[in-house]
Amino acid sequence: MTAKTVHKNLGLSEMSWRSSLGVTKTVLIARFKIVLRYKGAIVFDMILPVILAALPILLGVAIAGQAAAQNFKDATGTENYKLYMLIGASTFIVVTLMLWLVGYWIRREMETGTLESVYASPAKRVEVLSGVTLYALIRSLMAFAFAMVVGSLIFQVDLFQGELALALVFVVIGIIPLWGISFAFGALILKVKEADSLIQVMQWVVAFFMGIFFPITVFPPFLRFVALSFPPTWMTNGVRASLLDVAYFFGTWYFDLAVLLAFAAVLPLVGYTVFLKTESRIKKNEGVGQF
Amino acid sequence: MTMSDPIIAIENISKTFTSKERGKGRKRKKKVEALKDVSLEISDGEIFGLLGPNGAGKTTLIKCLTTLLLPTSGTAWINGFNLQKEENKVRASIGCMLMGERGLYWKLTGRENLDYFGALYYIPKNVRRERIDFLVDLLELSDFVDRTVETYSSGQKMILAFAKSLINDAPILFLDEPTVTMDVHAARNLRSIVRSLNEEGHTIIYTTHLMAEADELCDRVAIIDRGEIIALGPPSELKSSIPQESVVDVEGVIPESARNRILEIPGIRTAVVKDETNGKTMLGIICDNSRKVLPKIIDVLVEEDAIIEYINPQEVTLEDVFIAKTGRSLSIDTREIVTPKDAGK
Amino acid sequence: MSKKTIVEFSRYPLSFGAIFLQIFLMVLMFMFAVFAFSSPTQALDSFEDTSLSGWAEDPFSHVGEGEFHHILTGPYGEEPSMAIFLNLTDPAHGYGVEKNPEGVSDWTAFKQIEVSLYMSNGTTAGVSIQLRGDSALNETWWESDIVGFGGGQDTLVFNITDFGGENRTLESVDSLSIRFQNADNGTVAYLTQVDMVLTPQGTKLAGVMMYGFVIFIFLSFILWEVGFSIREEQFRGTLESLYLSPANKFSNLISRVFAIFMWIAVIASIALVVVSNIAGGLPLNNIALAFLILFLTVSGILGMAFFIAGLTIRIKESAALLVNFLQFFFMIFCAAFFPFRALPSVVVDYVSRWIPVSYGVDAFRSVLIGFPKGYPELLPFEIEMVVVVLFGILSPLLGYLYYVHSEKKARIQGTLSEY
């Protein structure tokens, strides 16, 4: 195949690994600049888990009084119900942020009209996506860490117990499959008219199943199965088990971590494939920028 | 100007959209052919105008050429690269301004937007900085470039979007209705920049609904209607290609009967309603010789009790070319609009 | 009410369902969390840990008429492993006069607690009853004498006055537990869940949660639909065209609100029925009065929403954040899903008591659950009603005035369609 037109130049474009990194970095920085200009958005991320955790804690104390800790220990294995709730709520914010920031990304760029401009540029999808992913990762880890610290001060619980390093490993590994899920979900919401409502509901369905306030062992078998097929459930329980006297699903930390690793190995691939499929579907049908 | 080698070669591009139509209880697939086997060559160094009413296929064609939409069949070569096989290089070869004032990050400043898109075009950081400074001077952006875009007026957003399309200094530029929300001064400024970019060797593909603008600016124009190119050539050539010598515009209160009788006058080709507001009609009459038929037209109008507010024998414009080819006015929207409500009936 | 608006909502079931589902899932999560705190399973488990395991092959066979009974089951309806029957005896009227303690209004009449237990044959234990006094009065625990208990079904009677003197009545009892002892008087196990029967917890707690939920769902919807929809219209650019149309813009807002009310009413009723089934019945008293309180509270909330709508015209994109924040703010500080006593008293005194919605929540659920001891929690009922009435009337007026004011200001500054 020979070119049927003249070739002049590529303007100022210089394709190199440095400029590829530049794309990722620029996207990352731009995202942070944008969110920082929405007053209070980041602070809300960090405060929300504390508020969420406060509710069941207050409720539990109201119901069980002085027996709260003992009853809770009987039900979950730990009497530290405050930290238990705080971990659940902080993990939840990670899940929510990934859903919104990664899953809703294409849709949001479509709504603002910027997707077309991004797609008309020579930057590779992977480079732009890396920027978006890094942004989501940093923001959700920040929210997680901050919520845990502030929450531990407010509820007066000690974070430095159990195996903190292992807990962090569970958080980091747990985010990887979330990325994949978010993309698959992102593809789904492109087809739905009321995408933001769907995400709103989804985040609470997820919250319900991942057991942010209670052990999933209270579920009947079928619901338990649904909950266990969802990586954030393993992530939450892993963090709890490594910090508190909560049991791992498979008895030991390395089995649970292995399950999470398996999710981490498979789901991003699934997510990325779905993403590419979605992209080509859009380009075939309505075209980038329409929805 | 001399016609040189093509820099864009479009080969038999077709695009069919399928949309689901929801009727009562059943779904049907509806196919719309937005582009029908379009072939076209655009020469290196020309300003090429794409004209046509809304929904004619202009935007579809541009979206295909900018890799935003995959053609159903056919291909194109741009700057020596194949449209489907070398997407990234095609993208690096073109700068585009497609969605007007949309397509900017409203929470970023103008400068941050330019830097962002510069990075997406793989422009090294120092080059990018110089380029942005250059564009700020060229397009007189300095008053607002460091404010967030949400504070801009429509015109300012348009100019920034234009600057964005120039960030890569690409050899080919796609401009889709770039002057639409600009004031007269800014539009004139933009056109002169387009001209000087062209003199520097850039190829420009320009769509507009303003015929005068296309007439003034473009070396060649293609008129698209219902997915097909119905006329192609330099504006002067197109205008002389229609056999009519002249056009008479009549504005006023013109009854239906008068319009019908005008058509019966010998030497009249067509009479098209160009605009109709508040009971007033703008009638475009295409005839062999306006000087000959003008008294007869006036006679008819007087006899039919028409109120004549304005009468003007005109030069042929590109719009008249379109009218002569299609029998319709350019301002008519030819999109096929199907709403669920209609489908149910 | 505009029919169009109702239809419009049915076209966007997701947006509508989203707000509802979110809150419903939240409440459900809290309920599960409550289970984790007070799961009766632990009482049963501790039995199984002792020599007393293997009880109750057929615990239901002894449930007779005229007995108030509480059957311990697992929290999610598993097979019961033992049954306890309690009879509250009023000496003046004889045995079993009040068959349903839920409806008891005068607790002072009860002088005796009758405990019927079923145990499989061959097991014996010492049984004592512990009563826990009113926590607000810092009362301590009282324990009865130990009574021998044979196998099979047996009934023990304890006098209330045995515990804390002649003036002691059941009214001052918060919780009751039964202690089982072995021959050496060492404690074998406690049953602590009996308190769920005697105090306004149990189904009444479910009532507190669900009736709070009803008000909160109104609050949430109104905040989003009235407060936030203005912002959305600003964003979509339809706000400006709405102002250009001759229709009264306010009636547009109102018709929308009425359509929402209708939907909430339907959905909230479904939710109540579902939860009522799960919790084994919700208390339901004086519905007419409850409706009046609901009406006034909702009217007051509407006023708040007008105020927020006015605010969103000004603060633009921070509006979603504000509404989100307010939703959580009210959820906690108006104690929507739990009794006020769950909040630290400082918070109640300095925050909750200053929010009129709190009184609406408190009065509404207190009426429905039949004013059990300790309810209403914030003020005497009559005074709460005064607050609720004032809120219901004044708030819409003030909110509307502010809305009109800020709308006018926006039109002067030309910021109506800016976003």
Side-chain angles (χ1 to χ4, degrees):
Chain A
M1 197 164 62
T2 49
K4 298 186 179 170
T5 62
V6 292
H7 168 60
K8 289 179 84 178
N9 56 49
L10 294 180
L12 302 173
S13 296
E14 282 177 32
M15 302 199 183
S16 68
W17 64 268
R18 275 186 82 154
S19 47
S20 290
L21 272 184
V23 173
T24 304
K25 195 176 130 196
T26 307
V27 171
L28 172 68
I29 291 172
R31 282 280 140 214
F32 269 108
K33 275 185 186 158
I34 291 172
V35 75
L36 286 173
R37 285 172 197 171
Y38 282 96
K39 283 166 229 143
I42 285 208
V43 177
F44 189 72
D45 289 354
M46 297 167 172
I47 297 300
L48 181 67
V50 180
I51 298 174
L52 275 181
L55 285 167
I57 291 173
L58 292 173
L59 205 51
V61 175
I63 302 302
Q66 287 160 343
Q70 184 56 41
N71 290 356
F72 199 77
K73 185 180 168 78
D74 292 330
T76 63
T78 178
E79 58 187 21
N80 196 344
Y81 55 90
K82 291 178 178 173
L83 189 52
Y84 186 95
M85 298 300 175
L86 187 59
I87 291 171
S90 304
T91 324
F92 168 68
I93 199 74
V94 172
V95 177
T96 305
L97 282 175
M98 290 303 279
L99 274 181
W100 278 107
L101 302 183
V102 177
Y104 202 60
W105 171 68
I106 295 191
R107 178 76 181 219
R108 197 189 306 264
E109 297 262 353
M110 272 185 178
E111 283 171 0
T112 54
T114 41
L115 191 67
E116 218 168 56
S117 305
V118 171
Y119 267 66
S121 76
K124 293 195 189 70
R125 299 304 144 255
V126 162
E127 296 153 7
V128 178
L129 274 186
S130 306
V132 174
T133 305
L134 266 178
Y135 160 68
L137 199 70
I138 293 173
R139 201 173 142 192
S140 49
L141 281 177
M142 256 168 58
F144 181 84
F146 192 85
M148 288 291 277
V149 170
V150 170
S152 69
L153 292 176
I154 290 178
F155 303 132
Q156 298 177 341
V157 287
D158 183 12
L159 279 185
F160 299 95
Q161 53 178 297
E163 291 168 72
L164 197 60
L166 184 60
L168 286 178
V169 170
F170 268 103
V171 174
V172 174
I173 304 280
I175 290 181
I176 301 170
L178 262 180
W179 185 87
I181 294 173
S182 300
F183 253 119
F185 192 68
L188 172 74
I189 61 169
L190 282 179
K191 293 186 172 180
V192 185
K193 227 195 237 163
E194 306 156 84
D196 46 346
S197 305
L198 191 62
I199 289 207
Q200 292 270 11
V201 174
M202 261 312 283
Q203 67 189 25
W204 291 108
V205 172
V206 167
F208 182 71
F209 279 112
M210 65 189 263
I212 68 172
F213 294 151
F214 51 83
I216 61 150
T217 45
V218 304
F219 283 138
F222 173 71
L223 287 186
R224 206 176 306 166
F225 176 76
V226 174
L228 283 177
S229 57
F230 195 64
T233 313
W234 294 81
M235 175 172 156
T236 321
N237 195 64
V239 177
R240 278 176 183 154
S242 42
L243 293 184
L244 303 168
D245 293 324
V246 176
Y248 289 101
F249 290 135
F250 277 161
T252 46
W253 65 270
Y254 43 84
F255 279 133
D256 276 30
L257 197 59
V259 173
L260 211 49
L261 274 168
F263 277 129
V266 177
L267 288 176
L269 289 177
V270 174
Y272 193 60
T273 315
V274 171
F275 169 72
L276 291 180
K277 276 227 163 118
T278 312
E279 189 191 276
S280 75
R281 196 194 73 221
I282 298 175
K283 287 177 83 171
K284 262 189 204 136
N285 298 334
E286 55 278 333
V288 177
Q290 309 288 309
F291 66 95
Chain B
M1 73 153 270
T2 55
M3 284 292 158
S4 50
D5 296 324
I7 194 160
I8 297 177
I10 303 166
E11 296 178 341
N12 311 98
I13 281 190
S14 295
K15 179 71 201 174
T16 310
F17 291 107
T18 40
S19 59
K20 275 177 201 150
E21 220 180 278
R22 211 182 278 182
K24 275 190 181 162
R26 67 204 142 94
K27 278 183 184 177
R28 278 180 297 146
K29 276 199 174 173
K30 186 178 164 57
K31 286 194 175 183
V32 179
E33 280 186 88
L35 290 176
K36 296 172 193 162
D37 201 26
V38 172
S39 293
L40 184 66
E41 283 190 353
I42 295 168
S43 307
D44 183 17
E46 71 175 331
I47 303 182
F48 189 88
L50 272 176
L51 308 181
N54 284 336
K58 289 178 297 187
T59 306
T60 307
L61 183 60
I62 287 191
K63 281 196 174 177
C64 284
L65 296 179
T66 50
T67 76
L68 295 172
L69 189 62
L70 292 174
T72 312
S73 63
T75 189
W77 295 85
I78 293 171
N79 196 24
F81 303 113
N82 182 267
L83 180 65
Q84 284 101 336
K85 299 203 166 94
E86 292 159 297
E87 281 192 332
N88 275 2
K89 285 181 178 161
V90 168
R91 290 183 190 128
S93 310
I94 55 186
C96 38
M97 176 177 177
L98 296 181
M99 295 184 80
E101 54 186 85
R102 275 167 65 91
L104 298 164
Y105 292 94
W106 289 25
K107 278 281 168 186
L108 294 179
T109 66
R111 193 183 294 277
E112 285 163 345
N113 263 291
L114 292 176
D115 184 69
Y116 178 90
F117 287 106
L120 260 56
Y121 276 87
Y122 296 127
I123 305 170
K125 198 160 189 146
N126 50 341
V127 181
R128 209 152 77 207
R129 203 170 294 149
E130 276 172 33
R131 180 71 184 164
I132 292 170
D133 288 340
F134 170 76
L135 290 175
V136 169
D137 285 344
L138 179 74
L139 300 172
E140 299 162 17
L141 307 175
S142 53
D143 284 349
F144 53 85
V145 75
D146 290 311
R147 292 202 321 249
T148 51
V149 173
E150 60 190 335
T151 63
Y152 288 17
S153 70
S154 285
Q156 288 170 331
K157 283 175 198 152
M158 284 301 267
I159 293 175
L160 186 67
F162 181 54
K164 191 187 81 183
S165 71
L166 299 181
I167 189 79
N168 189 31
D169 199 16
I172 305 168
L173 262 183
F174 282 89
L175 304 175
D176 192 3
E177 303 269 3
T179 54
V180 74
T181 56
M182 286 185 187
D183 59 52
V184 181
H185 166 77
R188 194 182 303 137
N189 201 16
L190 183 135
R191 278 195 295 272
S192 82
I193 290 165
V194 167
R195 222 172 276 120
S196 64
L197 284 169
N198 178 245
E199 278 156 21
E200 287 166 22
H202 293 265
T203 307
I204 289 139
I205 293 89
Y206 197 101
T207 74
T208 177
H209 66 284
L210 301 172
M211 296 303 126
E213 192 174 45
D215 213 343
E216 173 201 335
L217 199 62
C218 299
D219 299 319
R220 280 200 307 154
V221 295
I223 300 180
I224 301 186
D225 184 47
R226 296 185 174 163
E228 286 171 302
I229 294 178
I230 55 168
L232 174 70
S236 56
E237 213 172 89
L238 289 182
K239 283 185 283 185
S240 62
S241 76
I242 51 172
Q244 294 80 2
E245 243 172 33
S246 48
V247 175
V248 181
D249 279 349
V250 184
E251 199 177 337
V253 182
I254 305 166
E256 188 77 36
S257 52
R259 288 179 221 167
N260 295 336
R261 275 190 59 194
I262 284 170
L263 282 171
E264 288 162 13
I265 299 170
I268 301 279
R269 303 245 166 166
T270 48
V272 176
V273 177
K274 286 180 169 175
D275 192 24
E276 202 156 27
T277 38
N278 298 333
K280 280 182 197 167
T281 308
M282 163 80 117
L283 201 60
I285 302 165
I286 298 173
C287 51
D288 291 336
N289 188 333
S290 64
R291 267 172 231 127
K292 250 191 211 166
V293 294
L294 197 54
K296 289 177 189 165
I297 293 174
I298 294 171
D299 281 350
V300 168
L301 289 172
V302 170
E303 278 169 32
E304 292 291 333
D305 290 331
I307 302 165
I308 306 169
E309 291 189 343
Y310 167 89
I311 191 157
N312 182 24
Q314 276 205 332
E315 286 290 302
V316 174
T317 66
L318 286 172
E319 170 145 21
D320 301 318
V321 175
F322 183 82
I323 293 169
K325 297 259 180 194
T326 65
R328 285 177 287 119
S329 164
L330 252 181
S331 60
I332 287 167
D333 196 319
T334 56
R335 271 175 297 188
E336 295 195 51
I337 300 164
V338 181
T339 59
K341 237 191 256 165
D342 300 332
K345 275 169 192 167
Chain C
M1 167 160 58
S2 111
K3 202 170 145 194
K4 202 184 110 227
T5 330
I6 300 173
V7 174
E8 196 181 296
F9 267 105
S10 63
R11 288 242 173 90
Y12 296 94
L14 214 56
S15 321
F16 179 77
I19 307 176
F20 172 78
L21 256 172
Q22 272 180 64
I23 299 164
F24 189 65
L25 281 169
M26 243 186 257
V27 177
L28 220 57
M29 283 196 306
F30 293 139
M31 283 198 166
F32 273 104
V34 169
F35 286 144
F37 276 104
S38 59
S39 155
T41 32
Q42 106 264 5
L44 298 175
D45 286 348
S46 48
F47 274 110
E48 279 155 18
D49 286 342
T50 69
S51 56
L52 294 173
S53 60
W55 294 7
E57 280 136 275
D58 183 13
F60 287 110
S61 60
H62 299 281
V63 180
E65 265 190 22
E67 290 169 328
F68 160 52
H69 61 272
H70 180 67
I71 298 165
L72 278 191
T73 61
Y76 316 108
E78 296 123 44
E79 282 294 295
S81 43
M82 84 174 281
I84 299 168
F85 313 116
L86 290 176
N87 279 304
L88 300 172
T89 318
D90 173 3
H93 296 93
Y95 170 77
V97 170
E98 273 291 344
K99 290 169 187 170
N100 175 17
E102 291 293 315
V104 171
S105 53
D106 182 15
W107 290 83
T108 53
F110 296 96
K111 297 292 179 192
Q112 284 182 329
I113 300 173
E114 201 176 293
V115 181
S116 300
L117 287 168
Y118 173 85
M119 286 186 182
S120 50
N121 284 327
T123 8
T124 54
V127 176
S128 67
I129 288 214
Q130 294 184 332
L131 293 178
R132 193 169 181 225
D134 196 327
S135 50
L137 297 171
N138 268 335
E139 299 276 15
T140 45
W141 294 71
W142 307 291
E143 185 162 2
S144 70
D145 295 332
I146 301 158
V147 180
F149 192 86
Q153 197 202 349
D154 206 348
T155 301
L156 305 172
V157 178
F158 298 90
N159 288 317
I160 301 286
T161 47
D162 289 348
F163 303 122
E166 287 301 318
N167 298 330
R168 187 63 58 202
T169 64
L170 258 181
E171 194 185 24
S172 58
V173 174
D174 256 6
S175 67
L176 175 153
S177 59
I178 304 167
R179 188 155 81 101
F180 296 89
Q181 287 149 313
N182 60 20
D184 306 325
N185 285 354
T187 304
V188 173
Y190 282 104
L191 268 184
T192 52
Q193 283 312 301
V194 187
D195 59 350
M196 297 295 278
V197 184
L198 276 179
T199 59
Q201 293 184 353
T203 59
K204 282 190 177 151
L205 184 77
V208 166
M209 289 178 91
M210 281 316 290
Y211 294 139
F213 165 76
V214 170
I215 289 197
F216 185 71
I217 197 122
F218 271 102
L219 187 136
S220 238
F221 266 99
I222 294 170
L223 285 190
W224 279 108
E225 283 302 327
V226 179
F228 189 63
S229 63
I230 296 275
R231 161 82 199 132
E232 275 208 317
E233 265 161 19
Q234 213 172 2
F235 189 75
R236 292 196 195 126
T238 46
L239 191 62
E240 218 157 55
S241 56
L242 261 179
Y243 278 93
L244 295 176
S245 80
N248 181 357
K249 51 229 166 211
F250 207 71
S251 74
N252 162 64
L253 204 65
I254 291 289
S255 76
R256 195 169 175 149
V257 167
F258 273 106
I260 301 164
F261 281 0
M262 214 191 71
W263 283 106
I264 300 176
V266 171
I267 285 188
S269 319
I270 296 171
L272 285 177
V273 169
V274 168
V275 171
S276 173
N277 272 315
I278 295 175
L282 292 173
L284 200 62
N285 302 289
N286 206 343
I287 298 172
L289 182 57
F291 262 109
L292 178 68
I293 295 169
L294 183 67
F295 176 80
L296 287 167
T297 309
V298 165
S299 150
I301 292 170
L302 204 56
M304 274 169 28
F306 291 152
F307 184 83
I308 290 161
L311 214 56
T312 53
I313 290 182
R314 294 193 182 178
I315 60 172
K316 301 178 189 4
E317 86 269 332
S318 302
L321 211 65
L322 175 79
V323 171
N324 232 322
F325 170 79
L326 283 177
Q327 203 182 329
F328 282 107
F329 179 84
F330 286 122
M331 184 162 84
I332 293 190
F333 295 114
C334 299
F337 305 146
F338 44 81
F340 280 96
R341 68 179 68 120
L343 292 168
S345 56
V346 188
V347 173
V348 175
D349 290 344
Y350 289 97
V351 186
S352 305
R353 284 183 196 278
W354 297 93
I355 311 169
V357 183
S358 300
Y359 298 95
V361 170
D362 198 20
F364 179 65
R365 65 188 176 201
S366 298
V367 167
L368 281 171
I369 61 178
F371 296 108
K373 192 171 83 65
Y375 288 84
E377 297 176 274
L378 296 177
L379 285 173
F381 181 70
E382 293 73 16
I383 304 178
E384 286 204 342
M385 275 309 285
V386 173
V387 177
V388 169
V389 170
L390 284 178
F391 178 56
I393 295 169
L394 290 182
S395 165
L397 287 177
L398 295 175
Y400 180 63
L401 285 178
Y402 179 77
Y403 175 78
V404 170
H405 165 77
S406 68
E407 177 202 289
K408 202 169 152 193
K409 211 161 176 185
R411 285 166 80 184
I412 290 169
Q413 295 167 346
T415 50
L416 216 51
S417 68
E418 235 173 54
Y419 56 95

